[in-house]
Structure formats: C-alpha cells, structure tokens
Amino acid sequence: MKKILLAGAALGFAMSSASADIVIATAGPMTGQYASFGEQMKTGAEQAVADINAAGGVNGEMLKLEIGDDACDPKQAVAVANQFAGSGVAFVAGHFCSGSSIPASAVYSDEGIIQISPASTNPTFTDERPGGADGGTYRVCGRDDQQGETAAAYLLENFAGKKIAFVHDKTAYGKGLADATKGSFEAGGGTAAMYEAYTAGEKDYSALVSKMKQEGIDVLYVGGYHTEAGLMARQMKEQGMSTVLVSGDALVTDEYWAITGDAGEGTLMTFSPDPTKSPAAAEVVKALKDAGKTTEGYVMYTYAAIQAYAQAVTAAGSTDYDAVREALNAGDFKTVLGDLSFDEKGDVSLPGYVFYRWSDGKYAEIE
C-alpha cells in the first residue's frame, strides 16, 4: 500500500510548475551542511527535464519534476520516498548520501519506482539491492571499493614510507570509503599509522589534529564530507602542520575552498574523470554556463540518470516498472557522461576514478 506520511511542505518538498505527464523526481540534501550537493542535483535535473521536454518529451509525454529534501538524513529520506510514492512518481534520480539512498531504495522497490542514484557510492547500495537481480535500483557513479583501490594505489606509490592516518565520520559513505581505502592500502603492503572516527557537524577538530601532530602524521585520509575535511585542513595549518589531506568525491564543491582558504592548497581527492570535459556534455555545459549555473560535481551525473531513464522508457514504450527495468538492464544509453550500460547489480559501466588536486581555489584532474 502506498503511504502518504507528511505534507510536502514539511519535507522541504517542492514541485515544478511546468505541466507534464510523467512524474519524476530528484532527492538529496537541499538544505543543511551538504546543500551544495543538493543544488548540483537540482540543477542537473531541471536542465535535463527542460531539454528533454523541449525535444518533444518521452513517447509524446512531458516530464514533470518534483524535488525532495532528505538533508542526508536516513529517516527523512524514507519519508521523502513515501511522499514520492503517494505523488505518483515513476522515477527518482537520487539520493545523494548513501545513508539516504540505501533505506529509500527499499521503499522504491516496494512501490515500483525506478531509482538511479547519481552519487551514492557505498557498495551495499547495489550489493544488497532490493529485489536482487529483479530490482530497479541503479547508479551512474562508481563504488567506494573502486574509489578505495584508486586512492590506496596512489598513497602507496606517492607516499611510501610516510605516516598515513585514516579517519571517518561514521556514516555509510564516510566509513565505507575510509575502510575500503585502508583495506586496499594494507593489502598493498601499507601500514596505517592511525585509524580514528570523528563526529560530523562539529566545528572544532583540534583534539584530533593535535593527536596527529604528536604522532607525526604526514598524510591524512578523510572518509567524509567537505565541511569537516575543510575544517581539519584549516586547523592543521593553524597548528603549523604540513600534512597532506586526501579524500574522496565529497570534496567536489567550491564550498571546500570557502572553508579552507589557502589551507586547502594541495588537497588531493578522487572523483570520476571530469564529466564537463566529455564531448557529449558540451552543449549542456555551455547552456548551464550561459545561464550562470554550476556544472560542478554531480550536475552531469543527475542529468545522465534522467537521460538513461528517459531512453529506457522510450525503448519500453511505457513507464511500467518491469518493462523499464528490463530496458535498463539490456540497453546502452547515450548520456552526457558518454555511452553507458548497467550490470546485473545495477552498477554502471563507466570508467572509475582518477585523482584531482585543489589549487588556488579550484580543483583539476591530475594529468
């Protein structure tokens, strides 16, 4: 039975005003400390819907977009998922945080809603996919075990003999990424000098920083988000440390440098190959830039998730859950990320991860 738990306003839930026939949605942290990522997803979703509708829609029907705010909170994500079900949403490009996507995926599976996450990287999301091989859960981003392998290989090659600390924020994403990286690092012969958990949302990490300074830590690997990582970078510099901060894809937002200032110089992070440089994305990137909108982070991933769904609906000839799921399983899709397909778990065929370096307020792929 479909459940309508709360009024849309109570969820930070909004609806676009454009008339349409196929109701789709995106959901992520539209408010809170990770709202920059929600803005990335919203921007990508709105542009995809506008472009698809301008080209005639999907099977002659227009797309209608709803936006859900989960604030990266698992309980709120489930509430948003139930609200989408009550609103007749057929597809969700979301969520952002793995800790939100995983519980929400159970609701979507029960309600016959296709889910393609642009950003949730925890392996459990697809390894324990609701419905197994018959599930409708997918992602267009990579996985933390892939990201961890890339990070570990870089650490082993570039920081041999250095003292490396691994810390995480206890979330599904942060702990999963730190553990995957540390595991690959140790499998490759490395030894972690420290392994600690920290509490997300705090403003003062000086005790952790002091401990690292006392231990002579050369490299800090952070499994977590840009807000806390930025504070750690700044507080390490304040204590006179030259420790290199390394992290994952949750640092792909300009807000990281806004927090760190010059203390962010030289920060390293893993992310997929720059999607804005894909020839397939050129027109979309230009349109967004001309409109003064961001193209960073997960804008293109959200756009691509909607493209894949729209093409699957076209192939299926309807929005029927099973028909679309079969089309997603069998199809090859042309997106702003390049041509992609999905494996038996719902993971994407795109290339994995590369390294980026922050310098002078910007991040760029290391050639």
Side-chain angles (χ1 to χ4, degrees):
M1 179 179 293
K2 295 192 175 184
K3 306 164 190 170
I4 304 177
L5 296 183
L6 296 170
L11 294 172
F13 187 82
M15 184 182 298
S16 68
S17 60
S19 60
D21 298 307
I22 301 174
V23 185
I24 69 169
T26 191
M30 302 301 160
T31 60
Q33 62 178 336
Y34 309 133
S36 61
F37 294 111
E39 181 62 27
Q40 291 173 11
M41 296 173 71
K42 181 174 180 285
T43 297
E46 288 176 342
Q47 189 68 40
V49 167
D51 290 347
I52 290 169
N53 285 345
V58 181
N59 294 336
E61 296 180 314
M62 296 292 105
L63 297 179
K64 174 182 176 179
L65 179 66
E66 296 189 355
I67 307 295
D69 177 18
D70 65 19
C72 271
D73 176 80
K75 291 181 180 179
Q76 191 161 323
V78 170
V80 168
N82 279 304
Q83 179 66 44
F84 283 159
S87 299
V89 169
F91 162 70
V92 177
H95 297 220
F96 176 75
C97 293
S98 295
S100 292
S101 275
I102 292 170
S105 69
V107 177
Y108 298 137
S109 179
D110 288 345
E111 299 291 350
I113 298 171
I114 298 292
Q115 177 187 14
I116 305 178
S117 174
S120 293
T121 54
N122 189 289
T124 299
F125 178 58
T126 49
D127 285 353
E128 299 180 14
R129 177 196 211 185
D134 295 326
T137 302
Y138 304 83
R139 59 176 145 209
V140 290
C141 58
R143 296 164 49 110
D144 286 335
D145 44 5
Q146 297 170 329
Q147 192 165 192
E149 288 177 0
T150 299
Y154 190 94
L155 292 172
L156 289 165
E157 180 179 351
N158 293 277
F159 298 103
K162 301 294 184 180
K163 287 188 175 183
I164 302 178
F166 295 83
V167 300
H168 67 82
D169 64 1
K170 309 175 205 172
T171 66
Y173 166 72
K175 186 176 188 302
L177 179 58
D179 287 352
T181 304
K182 178 174 173 286
S184 292
F185 178 73
E186 291 175 340
T191 300
M194 276 179 59
Y195 177 70
E196 301 274 348
Y198 63 89
T199 301
E202 294 185 350
K203 301 299 182 185
D204 184 4
Y205 295 102
S206 58
L208 175 61
V209 171
S210 294
K211 184 176 181 179
M212 290 190 293
K213 183 176 182 179
Q214 186 176 3
E215 295 291 330
I217 298 299
D218 299 300
V219 179
L220 171 63
Y221 186 87
V222 179
Y225 294 90
H226 70 287
T227 46
E228 292 80 12
L231 290 172
M232 290 177 197
R234 197 171 73 199
Q235 289 166 19
M236 286 192 297
K237 184 173 183 180
E238 288 170 355
Q239 291 201 30
M241 298 172 65
S242 57
T243 301
V244 178
L245 192 145
V246 184
S247 192
D249 55 307
L251 267 61
V252 288
T253 167
D254 290 342
E255 280 191 3
Y256 176 71
W257 192 269
I259 295 168
T260 66
D262 291 343
E265 185 70 29
T267 293
L268 302 170
M269 66 182 183
T270 45
F271 187 49
S272 301
D274 189 349
T276 65
K277 293 183 178 178
S278 168
E283 288 186 13
V284 177
V285 170
K286 184 179 186 302
L288 288 168
K289 287 185 175 179
D290 287 348
K293 297 180 180 179
T294 183
T295 61
E296 70 173 351
Y298 288 97
V299 173
M300 295 300 157
Y301 287 83
T302 309
Y303 192 108
I306 294 174
Q307 283 183 304
Y309 173 75
Q311 290 170 38
V313 170
T314 299
S318 78
T319 58
D320 176 75
Y321 177 77
D322 288 327
V324 175
R325 183 181 56 76
E326 290 175 8
L328 285 168
N329 292 344
D332 292 303
F333 306 99
K334 294 188 179 300
T335 76
V336 290
L337 303 178
D339 293 351
L340 62 83
S341 60
F342 300 100
D343 67 14
E344 66 279 0
K345 289 184 176 181
D347 287 323
V348 75
S349 62
L350 292 169
Y353 291 89
V354 295
F355 258 88
Y356 290 73
R357 178 181 287 109
W358 275 95
S359 181
D360 196 22
K362 299 177 181 178
Y363 59 86
E365 187 175 332
I366 298 174
E367 300 295 336

